[in-house]
Amino acid sequence: MPTKRSELKTELRKALKNSEIVPYFQPMVGIRSGKLVGFEVLARWLHPQRGTIRPDEFIPLAEQADLIGELTDTILLQAFAATAALDKSLTISVNISPIQLRDPSLPEEIRRAAAMAAFPLNRLTIEITESALVDNLELAASIATKLKNLGVKLALDDFGTGYSSLRNLQALPFDELKVDRSFVSSMVQCRDSRKIVAAVIGLGQSLKLTTVAEGIENETQADILRWLGCDVGQGWIYGPPVSVHDLPKIVDAPMSTSTHTLHDSPASDLITCIKPLPSQRFAQLQAIYDGAPVALAFVDADLRYVSVNQRLASMNDIAVEEHLGKKLSEIVPPIIYTRIEPHLLHALKGEASSLEITRPGISEDAKGETFLVSHQPARDEGGEVIGVSVAMVDISERKLMEDALRESEDHYRHMVKLNPQMPWIMDPNGKTIDISPRWTELTGMSSDDTSNYGWKEMVHPDDLERLLTVLQASFQSGDAFDFNYRVLTRDKSWRWVRTRGQARRCASGEILRWYGSTEEIEEYMELKQKLRETEAALAALLEEKQQRL
């Protein structure tokens, strides 16, 4: 037969005297940082015959036997003594029975216990369940205020599971709001649980409360909570409750940071479906949406505008409000709509796409505008496409620049064919794009072999390192360069050439291309060498004549 409750009550009295009721410490971790921030203190009964007994079995007995105050004092004294010497940034949280929140002496008892262990009360958080506020909210508020005056923080535990009332949350000076484990454990499978978790965290953010999630068991849950902005987490993913003897190991051991990106996580699809978003996060996203330099819109399955940002409204020269509810065909000029409609329909079938469109100028003399438009299907949590996300980027200036550059390079190629030198074009990093046919005549290397960095194969080994040093310095600084070096010719001889180059920049200062030319200077170098030899011979004759004198 099971032990009778009356016998357990008697055993509980003995257990308190024999120090069988001890604190266990469950890690509490910053969800975004992965750092240990403190512990929740949980009572355990180390029964000599029955082993470890969980609090949900003996706490109700303690309340019925009027032993809850003594039990709490015992746990607090041990917890304070065990953690007083830990890093001052680490806090402890203790759950108070609803019965104790009716005892006006509670604040003084907590103060006395903390003083005995020299534990600073600004490191203590008292957790209060909603059920404790039902009977006498006024008395609870009075006791809570006294606790706050001692420096104690207050957390509302199990929010949303019992007598949920915003009045309760407003009536007491809470610092933390705890998300119950029942919602956390089911939020991966249950959309309603995700929405509740999002709403509770959003409420905490709006009220500037620290949000704590209980019962986190896996990375998917942690990912969702991190994205929603939850501050602190506890659960088996961070570690089980441990005895006071194992406390130093937990403090010294690194926690799981879990700060990876969500793209490859199972949580990524779930997170994007949570509606509504927490109010603070929604306000931030709305500000980004409205202030983005890119034109953005969301259209539903009937190709009606659901939302647009100010940038798109300005492009269309129509107020944001006048877009909403109207079909794109009513707003977008027919000449453009006929081009984008197939892409919209493909997006509704789940196929993302992008295209360039040009909008004609208002007058005959005005230049048109070119936009890069992307269409991305938007799906609900079931994977069904519910609309299309449209993004437009104005690339008119870039197109004009590309056209001008293309035209300039066409002229340049014509000039190259007539130029006795060897003009060339390089990209910003020094890769050869084009070079005069005369280079092939000189070296025997084809234009294809010369492209990219192929030209380096024809440079004399004694000159290559110095040449590359000069070029690299110019590519980094944007300064012009001028260098003499030897190249291997078609007849397998080495001949001197001179290469000069200069950067062409766009309006923003970014280098678009390097332009320059290479010319043979073998005769010049031979003449220069002969001049040096002649000067040396003359100097020798003068010296000999002076010695004779």
Side-chain angles (χ1 to χ4, degrees):
M1 294 178 61
T3 305
K4 294 181 180 179
R5 296 178 68 85
S6 59
E7 294 176 353
L8 276 177
K9 290 180 183 179
T10 302
E11 289 186 37
L12 184 58
R13 289 189 176 91
K14 293 180 182 178
L16 288 170
K17 293 179 181 180
N18 296 335
S19 300
E20 295 175 13
I21 309 296
V22 298
Y24 268 54
F25 302 84
Q26 182 170 41
M28 301 178 71
V29 174
I31 289 182
R32 289 182 291 277
S33 68
K35 294 179 60 177
L36 180 70
V37 298
F39 299 91
E40 180 173 0
V41 180
L42 306 169
R44 293 289 186 269
W45 181 357
L46 305 182
H47 196 285
Q49 284 80 41
R50 299 177 61 192
T52 302
I53 303 176
R54 293 176 57 83
D56 53 0
E57 296 183 50
F58 65 84
I59 292 296
L61 293 177
E63 293 174 338
Q64 294 171 14
D66 200 23
L67 296 173
I68 191 64
E70 183 180 350
L71 188 152
T72 300
D73 285 344
T74 298
I75 292 297
L76 282 175
L77 282 169
Q78 295 179 74
F80 288 155
T83 58
L86 297 181
D87 189 290
K88 62 182 180 180
S89 66
L90 297 177
T91 63
I92 62 172
S93 297
V94 180
N95 200 295
I96 294 298
S97 166
I99 294 176
Q100 292 177 279
L101 207 59
R102 305 168 196 160
D103 183 0
S105 66
L106 176 66
E108 177 58 26
E109 292 173 0
I110 291 176
R111 185 202 66 77
R112 187 164 50 248
M116 292 177 64
F119 184 89
L121 284 175
N122 62 356
R123 290 173 54 193
L124 173 67
T125 298
I126 294 296
E127 298 183 10
I128 301 170
T129 60
E130 287 188 280
S131 59
L133 309 178
V134 174
D135 293 338
N136 193 333
L137 183 58
E138 186 176 343
L139 176 59
S142 173
I143 295 173
T145 300
K146 291 179 182 178
L147 289 170
K148 289 286 291 184
N149 291 338
L150 293 174
V152 176
K153 296 182 177 65
L154 300 179
L156 182 57
D157 196 13
D158 300 339
F159 183 76
T161 61
Y163 305 90
S164 300
S165 171
L166 295 180
R167 177 172 174 265
N168 295 340
L169 191 57
Q170 187 181 35
L172 273 66
F174 287 109
D175 302 281
E176 297 180 4
L177 185 61
K178 300 197 74 172
V179 184
D180 187 70
R181 67 180 64 248
S182 63
F183 301 125
V184 173
S185 63
S186 62
M187 67 179 178
V188 175
Q189 297 82 18
C190 179
R191 182 171 182 248
D192 287 343
S193 292
R194 293 196 296 274
K195 293 170 71 174
I196 291 172
V197 171
V200 173
I201 293 174
L203 180 62
Q205 292 171 337
S206 298
L207 297 176
K208 298 183 178 179
L209 304 179
T210 299
T211 52
V212 182
E214 300 176 307
I216 307 174
E217 298 179 353
N218 55 59
E219 289 289 351
T220 302
Q221 294 169 348
D223 281 341
I224 294 175
L225 292 164
R226 186 180 307 111
W227 189 88
L228 290 172
C230 188
D231 301 304
V232 178
Q234 61 185 95
W236 283 81
I237 188 175
Y238 303 117
V242 299
S243 68
V244 65
H245 304 294
D246 293 325
L247 199 56
K249 297 179 184 178
I250 300 299
V251 173
D252 295 336
M255 287 289 158
S256 171
T257 56
S258 301
T259 55
H260 57 270
T261 58
L262 297 174
H263 299 299
D264 299 325
S265 166
S268 59
D269 292 336
L270 298 173
I271 288 170
T272 57
C273 304
I274 296 176
K275 299 178 183 180
L277 290 170
S279 57
Q280 184 179 17
R281 185 174 295 278
F282 179 80
Q284 294 170 351
L285 293 175
Q286 187 66 41
I288 294 172
Y289 182 75
D290 288 338
V294 177
L296 301 170
F298 180 79
V299 298
D300 63 18
D302 294 325
L303 300 183
R304 295 182 184 274
Y305 285 108
V306 175
S307 67
V308 300
N309 71 347
Q310 187 57 52
R311 179 70 173 173
L312 181 68
S314 299
M315 283 184 177
N316 291 335
D317 197 24
I318 299 174
V320 170
E321 298 78 13
E322 295 182 29
H323 285 77
L324 305 182
K326 292 184 178 179
K327 288 194 172 187
L328 270 69
S329 57
E330 300 178 64
I331 301 292
V332 180
I335 192 173
I336 296 177
Y337 184 76
T338 54
R339 288 202 61 201
I340 67 172
E341 184 183 31
H343 293 266
L344 291 166
L345 296 177
H346 282 300
L348 289 175
K349 295 178 181 178
E351 304 170 14
S353 65
S354 62
L355 77 158
E356 286 186 12
I357 59 172
T358 300
R359 182 166 63 182
I362 299 175
S363 64
E364 292 184 2
D365 297 332
K367 295 182 179 179
E369 297 173 301
T370 303
F371 301 95
L372 181 63
V373 187
S374 69
H375 304 89
Q376 186 74 27
R379 305 174 187 271
D380 62 11
E381 61 271 27
E384 182 180 349
V385 178
I386 57 174
V388 182
S389 173
V390 181
M392 294 176 58
V393 182
D394 189 341
I395 59 171
S396 303
E397 183 178 350
R398 192 186 78 184
K399 290 293 292 184
L400 289 172
M401 191 174 299
E402 289 177 351
D403 291 343
L405 184 60
R406 190 179 302 109
E407 183 178 354
S408 173
E409 290 178 355
D410 286 342
H411 287 301
Y412 185 82
R413 288 187 180 94
H414 288 297
M415 180 188 71
V416 162
K417 295 178 180 179
L418 303 174
N419 198 319
Q421 296 184 343
M422 292 171 274
W424 48 258
I425 306 172
M426 288 182 178
D427 74 2
N429 299 312
K431 291 183 179 180
T432 302
I433 298 173
D434 197 8
I435 193 167
S436 168
R438 284 184 54 78
W439 173 263
T440 301
E441 294 176 10
L442 175 66
T443 64
M445 175 178 272
S446 69
S447 57
D448 290 339
D449 293 337
T450 306
S451 63
N452 292 332
Y453 300 109
W455 54 267
K456 293 191 295 185
E457 296 182 10
M458 309 307 292
V459 179
H460 195 288
D462 294 343
D463 301 335
L464 181 59
E465 185 175 349
R466 291 184 298 120
L467 174 59
L468 293 177
T469 300
V470 171
L471 292 177
Q472 187 61 37
S474 292
F475 294 153
Q476 292 178 355
S477 66
D479 295 335
F481 57 85
D482 188 340
F483 194 83
N484 297 342
Y485 58 97
R486 287 162 290 179
V487 297
L488 185 64
T489 65
R490 183 188 292 270
D491 59 6
K492 305 304 179 183
S493 63
W494 294 102
R495 297 180 68 84
W496 282 96
V497 296
R498 178 186 185 186
T499 292
R500 289 172 284 183
Q502 189 165 1
R504 179 180 179 183
R505 303 174 183 269
C506 63
S508 64
E510 182 182 358
I511 295 176
L512 295 173
R513 293 283 192 275
W514 285 90
Y515 292 92
S517 66
T518 299
E519 60 180 318
E520 289 188 61
I521 57 170
E522 180 67 23
E523 293 182 4
Y524 167 77
M525 295 298 287
E526 288 179 356
L527 289 173
K528 190 174 181 180
Q529 179 62 27
K530 290 179 180 179
L531 178 61
R532 283 197 294 265
E533 293 173 355
T534 301
E535 289 175 345
L538 180 60
L541 289 173
L542 290 173
E543 183 178 357
E544 182 181 352
K545 183 176 181 180
Q546 289 177 351
Q547 289 176 353
R548 290 176 180 177
L549 294 175

